[in-house]
Amino acid sequence: MVSLGVVAERVLEEGIVNQMRELLLKQIEVVKSTVTERQDSWQSILYMDELADRLGSKLMVRVTFISPQGKVVGDSHVETADLARLETHARRPEVKEALQKGTGWDIRYSNTVGVDLFYLASLCGAREGSQLVIRLAVPAGGIFQAKARLKAQMGGIFLLGLAVLFLAGRSLGKKLSEWRNEVSRDNLEALWGELLSGEESPVEPGVHNIKVKLRESISTLREAKDRLEAVLHGMVEGVMLLDPKGRIQIVNSALGALLEARVDPVGRSPAEAYRLPGLQEAVEECIGDRRARLLEIKSKGATGKVLEVQVSPTPQGGAVALFRDVTEKKRLEEMRKNLIANVSHELRTPLTAIRGAVEGLMDELPEGLQQTQRFANMIHRQVLRLEKMVKDLLDLSKLEAEGRLSESKIVEAREIAREAMESVKEMAEAKGLELQSSFTSAQAHVRGNPRELEQALVNLLTNAIQFTERGRVVLRVEAVGNEVHFSVEDTGVGIPEEHLPRIFERFYRVDRDRSREKGGSGLGLSIVKHIVQNHGGRVEVQSTPGQGSIFRVILPRSGGEEDSKL
Ligand code: ADP
């Protein structure tokens, strides 16, 4: 309202001033025409003052004639005799402006007349030396009166507005304080009880609406909570929910049965509540990088359980950990591994004895007993096959048991490839196959056990030769970014697509009879997979039946010093 008042005052003032100026400009034209006629008398103060008096009383304004030097030569409101005593008017704003621009105006208090005056001055005569400034003045009281009236009215409206605001505010405040009293601390408990029990007590309509809404929200929340609890406590897996700071918020009953907590876990970190090495770090890392992780933890304490724990980030910035008891599964797995290892180990000795005996028998057999010789050869072949199978099983057991590298050093990839090629050279020649190698010129190093890596390549090359009747087998070694790729390519029978996902399983063979006939154990690719996994790598296979296969072993490249130079 204040700024509105200021703007209104400006607009009003400008309107009145413009109107006054227009009026005075018209009157000054009349004066000008009279004065111009008597240009010869401009120097005569007697004449000019008398002319000013006359025009002033006719037009009902104050008329002043001023020489360009500022000397007053006539004024309708000053006696002729007093004119000489008037100070120079050259510095009056309106006169200065008129001398510069032709016309000028100003509003100010006049000492001569004793009121506020509106002055308008205009320059008369074109030539310098014969010029005269005509100035008209009228009381400016109208403007100030109008402004004062406007201010008074605006003030009134302002006060009225304040009063309305005050009354409205007071009534709203009263209403709010009534509501507040209704829901004050004292009876909040009662209201809460009422809301939960569904009872009704007479209240303000506004409060009633709030109560209805609250009751709806409470029942929705309660349902959601019940559902969540039913799911949580019905789960076989242990569940632990953690907030973004890594503090435990919820644990379900299954977790309680799985793990013994040292203290009440809620509100504490996993490390404070449970004796589970590695869990705290996994939770912190998961909250930090928002990525899920799977870990196996052996719990400390009497039970010594083995737990599989999946830690995943939650949308709220915390984490949720799922615990599965895999103690029994691990125990059985261990038993199976031990059984295989033990049986294979036990079989080795009798097999070696049988082979020795058969080989001795074959040497001793007299000529001519063809049938017996045939049987002896058959026994020999099968014993060799059995021996290979037992050896493969033992190798596999060892690789599984280690789960990581037993021996590790930095080796040059091409070196391993060359050794493997050497081992299968004769076999390829015997089948009339072309055995080729293709190595990239740069050296590439891998970290690992050279014996095992060579075995993996020999297994792949043996398969390639066995399952190829015509054409060639190629071993490629390439450095690709941070990896080293060993590819074994053949032009053999290939593998139908549906078998590809399973060929790395133990004893899996695409064509059983054919494999058996070739003396395969079905363990070769399992061994390859285990070796490569223990080296932190992976195996890939591509194959087209009738055209051939490509098996690719991909290992992380180890930055040997020579590598960085090349
Ligand atoms: P096997 O001792 O029978 O060769 P592997 O585990 O080495 O056992 O291979 C599993 C099966 O995968 C083989 O029986 C064969 O059917 C198939 N296979 C492996 N390599 C090749 C290959 N290069 N070409 C075609 N089939 C292959």
Side-chain angles (χ1 to χ4, degrees):
M1 279 178 86
V2 170
S3 51
L4 191 70
V6 171
V7 172
E9 196 182 310
R10 281 265 167 80
V11 172
L12 185 83
E13 194 177 306
E14 243 167 56
I16 296 176
V17 166
N18 281 345
Q19 212 179 359
M20 262 188 178
R21 213 176 37 211
E22 289 296 311
L23 196 74
L24 285 180
L25 270 174
K26 281 197 190 106
Q27 289 180 332
I28 226 165
E29 283 309 311
V30 177
V31 177
K32 233 184 205 173
S33 63
T34 315
V35 170
T36 316
E37 279 168 19
R38 309 306 301 266
Q39 203 160 352
D40 46 338
S41 317
W42 283 6
Q43 306 296 327
S44 156
I45 290 181
L46 263 178
Y47 178 79
M48 290 308 279
D49 193 41
E50 198 262 335
L51 185 63
D53 289 350
R54 231 177 336 117
L55 287 168
S57 69
K58 212 172 177 183
L59 297 171
M60 293 204 298
V61 295
R62 178 180 168 193
V63 180
T64 314
F65 298 129
I66 305 152
S67 77
Q69 290 74 35
K71 189 166 170 266
V72 179
V73 292
D75 192 306
S76 57
H77 284 52
V78 182
E79 291 299 319
T80 318
D82 297 334
L83 283 179
R85 281 207 299 276
L86 289 178
E87 61 186 56
T88 175
H89 272 43
R91 277 194 294 278
R92 298 284 200 272
E94 70 281 3
V95 177
K96 248 165 96 179
E97 207 183 333
L99 283 168
Q100 279 164 12
K101 298 184 194 160
T103 53
W105 68 277
D106 190 29
I107 300 172
R108 66 171 180 278
Y109 184 76
S110 161
N111 284 328
T112 324
V113 191
V115 288
D116 284 313
L117 288 180
F118 184 101
Y119 295 101
L120 187 87
S122 181
L123 187 65
C124 190
R127 271 183 304 112
E128 218 167 297
S130 61
Q131 282 180 322
L132 186 73
V133 176
I134 304 167
R135 188 183 77 174
L136 302 188
V138 289
I143 299 175
F144 296 101
Q145 274 166 13
K147 272 166 75 170
R149 258 207 320 277
L150 181 80
K151 268 185 191 151
Q153 280 167 2
M154 293 297 286
I157 294 171
F158 184 68
L159 287 178
L160 194 75
L162 270 187
V164 169
L165 271 179
F166 173 73
L167 288 176
R170 204 172 60 159
S171 107
L172 193 68
K174 232 166 100 188
K175 198 98 197 149
L176 280 177
S177 86
E178 271 170 26
W179 279 12
R180 200 190 51 198
N181 289 341
E182 188 96 16
V183 197
S184 74
R185 197 176 281 279
D186 286 345
N187 56 17
L188 191 65
E189 297 258 308
L191 178 74
W192 197 243
E194 237 178 70
L195 278 172
L196 297 181
S197 66
E199 275 170 26
E200 206 54 70
S201 70
V203 278
E204 280 266 323
V207 176
H208 175 74
N209 287 342
I210 294 177
K211 275 170 74 174
V212 169
K213 281 265 170 273
L214 270 177
R215 192 171 289 141
E216 279 171 15
S217 307
I218 289 171
S219 88
T220 317
L221 282 176
R222 196 187 262 165
E223 269 171 37
K225 184 174 167 270
D226 289 350
R227 255 183 260 143
L228 186 71
E229 266 176 10
V231 172
L232 266 182
H233 295 295
M235 279 175 83
V236 186
E237 283 97 353
V239 180
M240 180 190 282
L241 184 70
L242 300 119
D243 68 11
K245 285 199 180 124
R247 308 257 147 215
I248 299 171
Q249 288 182 309
I250 300 176
V251 289
N252 69 348
S253 34
L255 187 70
L258 271 181
L259 286 173
E260 211 178 304
R262 289 191 278 197
V263 278
D264 179 10
V266 174
R268 293 178 202 270
S269 68
E272 285 167 345
Y274 299 100
R275 300 190 337 151
L276 281 184
L279 179 63
Q280 181 71 31
E281 293 75 29
V283 164
E284 281 169 15
E285 282 168 22
C286 173
I287 291 175
D289 65 10
R290 322 277 322 124
R291 289 229 300 270
R293 42 201 20 93
L294 189 68
L295 53 155
E296 205 176 88
I297 304 180
K298 200 157 185 252
S299 75
K300 289 187 176 166
T303 50
K305 281 186 179 136
V306 185
L307 299 170
E308 201 176 79
V309 188
Q310 157 119 38
V311 188
S312 321
T314 60
Q316 290 74 32
V320 61
L322 284 185
F323 297 77
R324 207 139 47 88
D325 188 353
V326 289
T327 318
E328 191 57 20
K329 196 177 126 198
K330 283 274 144 190
R331 200 178 61 85
L332 290 175
E333 224 167 76
E334 204 57 36
M335 265 173 64
R336 183 187 56 79
K337 277 187 203 160
N338 286 342
L339 181 77
I340 294 176
N342 291 340
V343 169
S344 318
H345 194 76
E346 292 301 320
L347 283 176
R348 240 166 42 158
T349 324
L351 277 175
T352 316
I354 295 173
R355 191 177 67 162
V358 171
E359 281 169 0
L361 194 66
M362 281 162 81
D363 288 345
E364 298 289 311
L365 269 180
E367 294 286 318
L369 289 175
Q370 280 179 353
Q371 190 74 345
T372 317
Q373 243 164 11
R374 216 160 49 84
F375 284 136
N377 278 339
M378 199 176 82
I379 296 172
H380 189 234
R381 236 188 11 253
Q382 295 301 334
V383 166
L384 288 182
R385 212 187 125 205
L386 260 177
E387 259 190 347
K388 176 167 182 333
M389 205 179 278
V390 167
K391 184 187 163 290
D392 281 357
L393 270 174
L394 265 176
D395 285 348
L396 200 56
S397 302
K398 249 188 248 147
L399 286 168
E400 273 185 340
E402 282 160 9
R404 56 183 174 79
L405 291 177
S406 51
E407 174 200 337
S408 160
K409 60 181 186 185
I410 294 196
V411 274
E412 220 267 292
R414 295 182 297 189
E415 201 50 48
I416 303 167
R418 264 186 224 114
E419 296 283 332
M421 293 280 282
E422 204 51 46
S423 310
V424 297
K425 212 165 97 190
E426 269 177 36
M427 191 182 169
E429 270 167 17
K431 262 192 106 171
L433 293 174
E434 206 183 318
L435 186 64
Q436 292 177 358
S437 58
S438 157
F439 302 159
T440 44
S441 56
Q443 289 192 35
H445 291 81
V446 290
R447 173 176 280 283
N449 180 331
R451 221 172 11 86
E452 287 183 4
L453 289 175
E454 190 192 319
Q455 190 191 346
L457 292 185
V458 168
N459 283 8
L460 291 179
L461 287 166
T462 312
N463 277 350
I465 294 166
Q466 276 181 346
F467 293 96
T468 304
E469 295 310 321
R470 221 170 298 113
R472 62 198 154 88
V473 170
V474 187
L475 173 60
R476 264 181 235 286
V477 181
E478 294 160 292
V480 182
N482 294 329
E483 295 171 336
V484 180
H485 292 201
F486 297 87
S487 321
V488 177
E489 284 181 37
D490 65 51
T491 52
V493 291
I495 307 163
E497 203 181 338
E498 66 269 24
H499 294 284
L500 287 179
R502 299 199 58 191
I503 52 170
F504 292 97
E505 288 173 16
R506 268 184 221 107
F507 297 113
Y508 191 85
R509 280 165 286 198
V510 175
D511 183 341
R512 278 180 180 274
D513 298 337
R514 187 175 184 158
S515 167
R516 210 171 289 140
E517 193 183 293
K518 291 174 193 295
S521 64
L523 294 169
L525 289 181
S526 277
I527 293 174
V528 172
K529 193 176 108 181
H530 268 91
I531 292 176
V532 174
Q533 275 178 353
N534 286 1
H535 280 78
R538 60 185 194 277
V539 199
E540 288 173 358
V541 56
Q542 272 168 281
S543 186
T544 316
Q547 286 189 16
S549 317
I550 306 175
F551 281 81
R552 194 168 288 132
V553 167
I554 299 167
L555 296 176
R557 188 171 174 175
S558 184
E561 267 178 34
E562 298 82 354
D563 279 18
S564 43
K565 267 190 244 152
L566 285 158

